[in-house]
Amino acid sequence: MPRPDRTRLGAYGAAALCVAYGSMKLAQALGATALADKDPLPPEARARLLARDPMFVASHWALAGAAVAGVIVALLALRPWSGSVPRRLLMGICWTVGIFMIARSVGVLGFGVIGDATLLTGLRPPPPEHAALARELAWWDLLLWSPFFLLWGTCWTVTGWRLRRT
């Protein structure tokens, strides 16, 4: 009996995390506030988000739609009927999304472990008028969002690696 292809877990993980993230964004687009106040945003943008500014509502709808597209891409990477979509295109999408998410989790894009750690250790002082909020959001990002994006990005890169091998 052949050994199961463990790299398939990457695609299933990417799809499951797309569902989780997309569900949260859809709920927020519909008016829920779960975790909305934990987004690592500047205070002005955070206030607009919590006030349900139309731009932020629209962005939640767009992110929910992108999550649906992510589920489709992840499942296309697994199925034989994905032959209608060029493998190189799927591989490029998986690698690009995966690297972007890993970069976000590490802190290359400003958020992530590096940015949070420098703020929490005092190497990068928070804005004095929002110091407590900045520290709270850094903790949320360090303990929730960065690991989430690291896991999600890893799932996407494993899926891209699997497509390269097949």
Side-chain angles (χ1 to χ4, degrees):
M1 176 175 245
R3 193 172 116 148
D5 184 4
R6 292 187 184 137
T7 59
R8 295 173 67 84
L9 291 176
Y12 286 122
L17 293 168
C18 283
V19 168
Y21 189 77
S23 297
M24 180 188 67
K25 291 302 178 182
L26 177 62
Q28 289 174 351
L30 294 171
T33 58
L35 296 176
D37 61 337
K38 307 304 184 222
D39 280 349
L41 295 171
E44 303 79 31
R46 184 175 185 271
R48 289 177 50 210
L49 168 71
L50 296 176
R52 297 200 36 83
D53 181 278
M55 182 198 72
F56 280 100
V57 173
S59 73
H60 290 319
W61 282 107
L63 289 169
V68 170
V71 170
I72 293 168
V73 169
L75 295 179
L76 277 173
L78 293 171
R79 301 292 173 216
W81 38 262
S82 66
S84 60
V85 179
R87 185 175 56 85
R88 287 183 183 262
L89 175 64
L90 286 174
M91 192 169 55
I93 292 169
C94 293
W95 280 103
T96 302
V97 171
I99 289 169
F100 177 77
M101 288 182 176
I102 291 170
R104 186 265 181 239
S105 72
V106 171
V108 177
L109 304 176
F111 303 112
V113 173
I114 293 171
D116 298 332
T118 57
L119 188 131
L120 292 170
T121 59
L123 293 174
R124 178 179 56 116
E129 64 276 7
H130 304 290
L133 177 63
R135 284 189 187 91
E136 177 189 351
L137 295 178
W139 277 113
W140 274 98
D141 189 59
L142 187 65
L143 298 175
L144 175 67
W145 299 119
S146 291
F148 180 83
F149 280 103
L150 180 62
L151 177 62
W152 200 5
T154 301
C155 288
W156 279 115
T157 54
V158 167
T159 303
W161 180 71
R162 181 181 186 280
L163 285 167
R164 185 182 60 92
R165 288 185 337 143
T166 56

